[in-house]
Amino acid sequence: MDLPFIAATLTRRGLLAPGGPIRVVSQLNALRRWGWSLAGELRQAAARDPGRVAVVDERGATMTYQELLDRSERLARSLRSHLGVQTGDRVGVLCRNHHGLIEAIVAAMLLGADAVLVNTGLSAAQLVTVAEEQGLRVLVHDGEFTERVLGLPAELHRVDERRQEELIAAAVPGEKLQPPERDGRTIVLTSGTTGAPKGARRPTPHGFGPLVSIIDRIPLHAKNTVMIAAPVFHTWGYAALQVSFALRATVVLHRRFEPAATLAALVDQRCDAMFAVPVMLQRLMEVAPPQPRPPLKVVAVSGSALPGNLATAFMDRYGDVLYNLYGSTEVSWASIAGPRELRAAPTTAGRPPHGTRLAILDENGRPVRDGEVGRIFVGNEMLFEGYTSGTGRESRDGLLDTGDLGRLNTDGLLFVDGRADDMIVSGGENVFPSEVEDLIARLPQVREVAVIGVPDPDYGQRLAAFLALRTGETLDPEAVREYVRRYLARFSVPRDVVFVKYLPRNATGKVLSRELRRYFD
């Protein structure tokens, strides 16, 4: 990425504003010595604005950047002296969104250990598998998960919230940490919606490029106040934390997403921005908007597709502030859609940001024509470093396979048709469940919908639609089928229409298809 573009973007977003010479030098020195990891970003923020509030959570904890750094350093020293954590070890973090989660991640990185971000929705059996496959030495966890971690190996150190505070208090005073021989990495677990989660090694940024790619298209500014509603153990929530620290923002965290409480916090904390996943927007639309409205300038979503008319409905209520980022754990980001693009095409994933390449390829690796569906390949400077199992993803000409199918229209806008694994062949026809989902989601009675493929003795596979209706609403299955029949081809009509109270989702809001398929076991 060219330096003039980087400088112009950083200036536009307020990151090159003048400051005290001593603090500016200290800030740059922190980045030089500690790099652009989360630990390095926290250090540079504390060097430049030590007294600025870094984190606010719903339990009343308010910490400045200097206080957050001090606590993280003390925890790191105790992890090393009391629990023997060394460079190259792996520290699991099983926490909801609060300051303790940040301290644990940063502490691991300060030692050159890898922080493994563990999904809070995993079962006890899955936790045992993750601990074994990732080779965890320590697991930092919230108290609510104490019973769930009882089955972990005895040699694995378990650190709950009380023990974490004890370790911070017990740190050897005066001992200074030096940059480790190797950078501590972040390992994010894939969603595991169709199987066991895999560990993906996230790269450490090597400069301002990744930050600039995001804030050029999403207008976040230095010293914003940012609500991170997306779980930080998820790639999107973690990216939000990295961006926020780089901007020296004040981060607002809640352990659980509750629509009314989130809206109240957005107003009370005067949040400029919010990072969320699409299902959270759906939940926010189900409660009355507060008065006055939150002073939001940016609502950035990622993690799953925006269904139906959700984008325009949300902007009608809260203003043209919505930005939709399409990406994955493996490729980080691929494209971004802003308000103007979402007004024109509510389900678009937008265009690649600066420094990102995107291609739609056929099965032989050749580009397809505009409008044709193919495999989405992406190239940028934050492609993942492979799974911890040693496997990777297919790569072509420096572009990585996302595992999704999509198409580009003549204006260069990307539309994602779903996972390649989700496409079904029914009676010889290729069918994309997401197209049917988007159509059904437009029915005013429908709160949420998922469409999946299930085995069929005559056609090989058929579509099944699962609908959760709004309170007090009713729908007839045949009316749903007739509605789809009116707009789509015959083979896109769901044979089965199942009404449920809610769709099973993981902690990041993705629908668990395997749970739905059990209806047909």
Side-chain angles (χ1 to χ4, degrees):
M1 192 174 293
D2 56 285
L3 289 177
F5 179 80
I6 290 176
T9 303
L10 294 177
T11 300
R12 189 159 37 105
R13 301 306 184 210
L15 283 166
L16 296 185
I22 293 177
R23 287 190 176 176
V24 171
V25 169
S26 180
Q27 176 190 20
L28 295 176
N29 192 46
L31 286 172
R32 180 185 64 81
R33 296 187 68 223
W34 291 88
W36 275 262
S37 68
L38 190 66
E41 294 289 10
L42 175 55
R43 278 192 174 277
Q44 67 84 24
R48 180 70 180 267
D49 280 314
R52 179 169 177 78
V53 174
V55 180
V56 179
D57 67 33
E58 88 277 15
R59 295 190 179 180
T62 299
M63 293 185 185
T64 66
Y65 272 105
Q66 188 61 57
E67 289 169 338
L68 185 61
L69 177 59
D70 288 345
R71 286 174 58 86
S72 300
E73 286 188 324
R74 293 204 301 271
L75 179 59
R77 294 200 300 269
S78 280
L79 287 176
R80 182 170 61 189
S81 60
H82 294 282
L83 302 184
V85 175
Q86 301 293 326
T87 298
D89 285 342
R90 288 183 177 171
V91 176
V93 184
L94 176 62
C95 298
R96 299 195 187 276
N97 286 11
H98 59 86
H99 67 88
L101 172 144
I102 299 173
E103 292 162 3
I105 297 172
V106 172
M109 291 184 164
L110 290 171
L111 298 175
D114 295 339
V116 181
L117 307 187
V118 183
N119 190 316
T120 59
L122 296 187
S123 67
Q126 286 176 312
L127 286 175
V128 171
T129 300
V130 166
E132 179 182 337
E133 291 182 350
Q134 301 304 323
L136 300 184
R137 183 180 183 87
V138 174
L139 179 67
V140 180
H141 66 89
D142 289 345
E144 68 175 281
F145 304 120
T146 298
E147 290 189 8
R148 205 183 300 179
V149 303
L150 288 177
L152 296 177
E155 62 272 15
L156 173 63
H157 295 289
R158 281 161 281 190
V159 177
D160 63 13
E161 291 167 277
R162 179 180 298 179
R163 178 60 173 153
Q164 184 170 339
E165 290 297 328
E166 291 173 351
L167 288 171
I168 290 172
V172 177
E175 181 187 0
K176 284 192 174 182
L177 291 171
Q178 299 299 323
E181 295 178 359
R182 69 181 282 276
D183 289 335
R185 293 181 174 85
T186 308
I187 295 173
V188 178
L189 299 183
T190 59
S191 299
T193 53
T194 57
K198 295 176 289 193
R201 296 192 300 270
R202 301 290 308 136
T204 299
H206 296 294
F208 290 107
L211 172 68
V212 167
S213 291
I214 300 301
I215 64 175
D216 172 57
R217 296 290 303 278
I218 302 178
L220 298 158
H221 290 79
K223 300 184 180 182
N224 277 164
T225 298
V226 179
M227 161 73 82
I228 302 180
V232 172
F233 65 73
H234 182 245
T235 303
W236 183 230
Y238 187 72
L241 191 60
Q242 289 179 297
V243 170
S244 296
F245 280 7
L247 295 171
R248 309 192 303 281
T250 294
V251 175
V252 181
L253 298 175
H254 284 188
R255 294 181 183 234
R256 293 178 182 273
F257 174 77
E258 297 290 346
T262 297
L263 288 172
L266 292 172
V267 174
D268 294 344
Q269 300 295 332
R270 299 201 55 78
C271 293
D272 304 287
M274 177 174 69
F275 283 76
V277 295
V279 70
M280 293 176 176
L281 301 194
Q282 291 178 294
R283 299 293 183 263
L284 290 175
M285 293 297 292
E286 293 170 4
V287 300
Q291 297 297 336
R293 303 291 172 95
L296 290 166
K297 299 178 181 66
V298 168
V299 175
V301 296
S302 186
S304 59
L306 284 169
N309 288 323
L310 177 61
T312 50
F314 184 85
M315 290 191 291
D316 287 344
R317 181 176 293 186
Y318 291 104
D320 283 7
V321 298
L322 189 59
Y323 295 81
N324 180 32
L325 182 146
Y326 162 64
S328 70
T329 301
E330 293 82 4
V331 304
S332 295
W333 63 83
S335 60
I336 300 173
R340 182 180 301 177
E341 293 155 330
L342 291 170
R343 283 288 185 191
T347 60
T348 185
R351 295 181 172 86
H354 196 86
T356 297
R357 293 188 297 149
L358 185 148
I360 310 296
L361 307 179
D362 64 18
E363 288 300 320
N364 297 313
R366 296 182 298 237
V368 303
R369 292 192 295 268
D370 288 346
E372 288 187 1
V373 174
R375 301 160 66 196
I376 302 174
F377 282 73
V378 174
N380 59 48
E381 57 183 296
M382 287 295 287
L383 300 180
F384 87 137
E385 298 172 342
Y387 298 113
T388 54
S389 62
T391 60
R393 277 194 174 276
E394 182 182 347
S395 177
R396 290 182 180 269
D397 191 26
L399 304 181
L400 200 67
D401 179 16
T402 65
D404 290 327
L405 298 173
R407 54 201 154 82
L408 292 169
N409 70 6
T410 54
D411 293 328
L413 289 176
L414 174 67
F415 293 82
V416 181
D417 289 291
R419 300 292 296 170
D421 294 341
D422 290 342
M423 187 191 79
I424 73 167
V425 180
S426 181
E429 301 285 354
N430 294 339
V431 184
F432 297 98
S434 60
E435 182 182 28
V436 185
E437 284 179 356
D438 286 338
L439 179 63
I440 295 176
R442 297 172 189 268
L443 288 168
Q445 301 94 330
V446 175
R447 182 165 62 89
E448 54 183 356
V449 56
V451 178
I452 64 171
V454 297
D456 185 273
D458 298 321
Y459 295 93
Q461 289 178 295
R462 67 178 188 273
L463 289 182
F466 294 80
L467 283 67
L469 302 181
R470 301 185 187 279
T471 303
E473 297 287 357
T474 59
L475 264 179
D476 179 72
E478 184 53 37
V480 174
R481 286 189 282 266
E482 182 57 35
Y483 171 72
V484 175
R485 194 176 291 118
R486 189 185 315 159
Y487 294 100
L488 298 178
R490 169 190 52 78
F491 48 79
S492 295
V493 177
R495 184 93 56 85
D496 304 280
V497 178
V498 181
F499 295 100
V500 294
K501 289 185 178 181
Y502 58 86
L503 296 178
R505 296 180 183 269
N506 64 13
T508 62
K510 290 187 177 180
V511 175
L512 297 171
S513 300
R514 65 176 180 272
E515 297 292 330
L516 296 177
R517 289 191 178 91
R518 290 177 181 173
Y519 281 80
F520 298 92
D521 288 348

